[in-house]
Amino acid sequence: MGSVKLQDRFGRSIDYVRLSVTDRCDLRCSYCMPKGFRGFEEPKDWLTFDEIERLMGIFVRLGTRRVRLTGGEPLLRRNLPELARKLTALPGLQDLSLSTNATQLGKHAVALRAAGVDRINVSLDSLDRACMQQITGRDSLQPILDGLMAGKAAGFDPIKINMVAMRGINDGQIEAMAAFCIEQQFILRLIEAMPMGSTGRNASYMPLGPVRERLAARFGLVPQAQELGGGPARYMATADGRSSIGFITPMSQHFCASCNRVRLSVDGTLYLCLGQEEKFALGPMLRGGATDAEIEAAIRAAIELKPQQHDFNTQPDKIIRFMAQTGG
C-alpha cells in the first residue's frame, strides 16, 4: 500500500499536511476570525484522536513526511500531547510541528516537547501591548511572551515568530520585532495578509518587497539558500548566520508552483488550496466503515482536485470562509 507517493496533476509532490485539531480560538485576530463568530463545528463532528491517527497513518504511507498541528488554537484541544505521541510513532513521519498563539503554551510546552513536537511557530504581530489588544481583541501580549519563553526553555528549536504585516496597524513595529527575534535567536517570518473571508479582506494588505530591502539594510541581511522547514518563506540571514528572517508573499510573489501541502480541517474535510474552493470530505468515510484502501483511493482522487494556484489577486472576494475554518 502506498507504493506510489502523492503527486498532483501539475507534478507537485504532496508531502505536508496541516492538521487542524480545533476551529476554536481564545483570540479574535482581526485578519483571522470575526468578533462574535459562532459558526464553529460541533465537538461531536471533530475527528477523534484515533480517527486522526488512522487517517494520518494512511497519509504517511502515501509519502507525507511533515505534519503541523494547527487550529484555531490547537492548545485548546484537550490532551494534545497524547495525539502528538500517536503521530510521532507513525513510521515514516519525519517532522511534527505546532502553530500556536502561545497563550496556553506555558502549561503545555514541556509535555508537548516530550511527546515529540520538534518545533513551533508562534503568532505574534507586535511587541506593543495596545497594538496587540487591537489586533487580537484582548490584552494578550504578556501571556504570549510568557508562553514563548516557556517554549524556549522546553527546548523547541527552531522557534519561528509569524508576524502578519498590516499597513497602518503594525507596520511601524517591524524593526523592533526583527531586533527582538535576532536577540532571542527566534526566526521571524513576515507574512502578507491574504483575503480570506471578510476579516482577511479588511486586513490592510501591504507588499513585503520594500520591507525586505529596509530590513536588509538595517540588519545587514544576506540571501539564504537553506530551506527552513519546507514552507513557503524566502529567507535572509544575518551576516554571522545566527539569525534568519523569512518573507511569505502569497500576494506579491506567490509560491504556488512549489506548493507541497494540503489542509485537513477538524471535521476531516481536506482542503486542497487556501485560495480555492476544492475540498473533499474524508470524515464521513472514516465513520462510515470505509477500508484503508478506500480512503487511500479517496485521498488520491482528492489530490487530483488540487488547483494550479490561488486567485487572491484576481478574485479577492472569492473565499468567504475564514482562516480558522480551513486550518491555519
Side-chain angles (χ1 to χ4, degrees):
M1 186 170 168
S3 57
V4 180
K5 306 306 183 189
L6 289 179
Q7 189 175 72
D8 72 8
R9 57 204 162 110
F10 303 103
R12 296 172 297 198
S13 293
I14 310 302
D15 63 359
Y16 180 15
V17 176
R18 295 179 67 96
L19 170 65
S20 177
V21 296
T22 180
D23 56 354
R24 314 294 172 98
C25 190
D26 54 344
L27 302 181
R28 288 293 179 273
C29 293
S30 55
Y31 50 82
C32 182
M33 190 188 297
K35 292 175 183 174
F37 178 71
R38 291 290 181 268
F40 298 108
E41 293 290 339
E42 292 295 326
K44 65 180 175 56
D45 296 324
W46 296 0
L47 295 187
T48 66
F49 285 179
D50 286 345
E51 289 169 336
I52 292 171
E53 180 185 19
R54 180 187 173 202
L55 187 53
M56 297 317 299
I58 296 171
F59 268 101
V60 170
R61 290 196 293 275
L62 289 172
T64 293
R65 293 295 169 258
R66 295 186 174 101
V67 171
R68 175 172 294 278
L69 300 170
T70 71
E73 171 46 51
L75 296 185
L76 296 183
R77 182 79 183 253
R78 272 191 240 166
N79 302 318
L80 193 62
E82 177 190 333
L83 176 62
R85 280 192 295 273
K86 288 176 178 288
L87 296 180
T88 53
L90 294 174
L93 185 67
Q94 296 172 358
D95 180 63
L96 181 66
S97 56
L98 169 77
S99 288
T100 176
N101 64 28
T103 60
Q104 312 291 318
L105 189 57
K107 291 184 276 188
H108 303 294
V110 171
L112 286 164
R113 187 71 192 90
V117 177
D118 301 310
R119 51 198 183 83
I120 56 174
N121 289 11
V122 173
S123 179
L124 178 61
D125 295 313
S126 175
L127 294 171
D128 179 85
R129 181 178 176 185
C131 184
M132 280 296 286
Q133 184 149 6
Q134 176 191 355
I135 293 170
T136 67
R138 58 171 270 207
D139 187 6
S140 58
L141 179 61
Q142 197 57 53
I144 291 172
L145 291 176
D146 291 345
L148 190 52
M149 295 309 167
K152 186 176 182 179
F156 290 108
D157 184 34
I159 293 175
K160 297 178 181 177
I161 304 297
N162 288 348
M163 180 181 187
V164 177
M166 293 170 281
R167 190 185 307 279
I169 298 175
N170 65 353
D171 51 334
Q173 299 163 39
I174 293 173
E175 278 86 350
M177 184 68 78
F180 168 75
C181 289
I182 289 171
E183 177 190 351
Q184 294 291 336
Q185 294 192 316
F186 300 144
I187 296 172
L188 174 62
R189 305 197 317 164
L190 295 164
I191 304 172
E192 291 176 347
M194 290 173 281
M196 290 281 295
S198 57
T199 50
R201 286 190 285 278
N202 294 329
S204 305
Y205 161 74
M206 59 179 287
L208 287 178
V211 177
R212 184 191 290 115
E213 294 177 12
R214 207 167 71 221
L215 292 181
R218 167 84 182 268
F219 295 102
L221 304 178
V222 295
Q224 177 174 327
Q226 179 190 359
E227 180 187 285
L228 297 173
R234 298 174 173 95
Y235 287 97
M236 301 188 79
T238 54
D240 61 9
R242 294 180 64 190
S243 296
S244 300
I245 298 179
F247 302 85
I248 299 179
T249 55
M251 303 298 291
S252 66
Q253 190 181 8
H254 73 70
F255 33 81
C256 301
S258 59
C259 184
N260 63 342
R261 70 204 53 208
V262 292
R263 289 170 168 83
L264 190 71
S265 71
V266 66
D267 69 347
T269 301
L270 191 67
Y271 287 95
L272 285 308
C273 175
L274 266 183
Q276 299 285 7
E277 295 289 4
E278 285 83 358
K279 61 186 179 181
F280 197 103
L282 293 170
M285 295 189 70
L286 283 167
R287 296 185 175 183
T291 65
D292 282 10
E294 289 169 335
I295 293 173
E296 177 185 323
I299 291 171
R300 290 189 184 280
I303 295 301
E304 287 297 304
L305 301 174
K306 188 171 173 63
Q308 188 168 17
Q309 63 183 62
H310 65 68
D311 292 327
F312 283 142
N313 291 307
T314 56
Q315 300 183 63
D317 297 331
K318 182 174 183 178
I319 302 301
I320 61 172
R321 68 180 185 270
F322 304 111
M323 181 73 82
Q325 294 173 293
T326 307

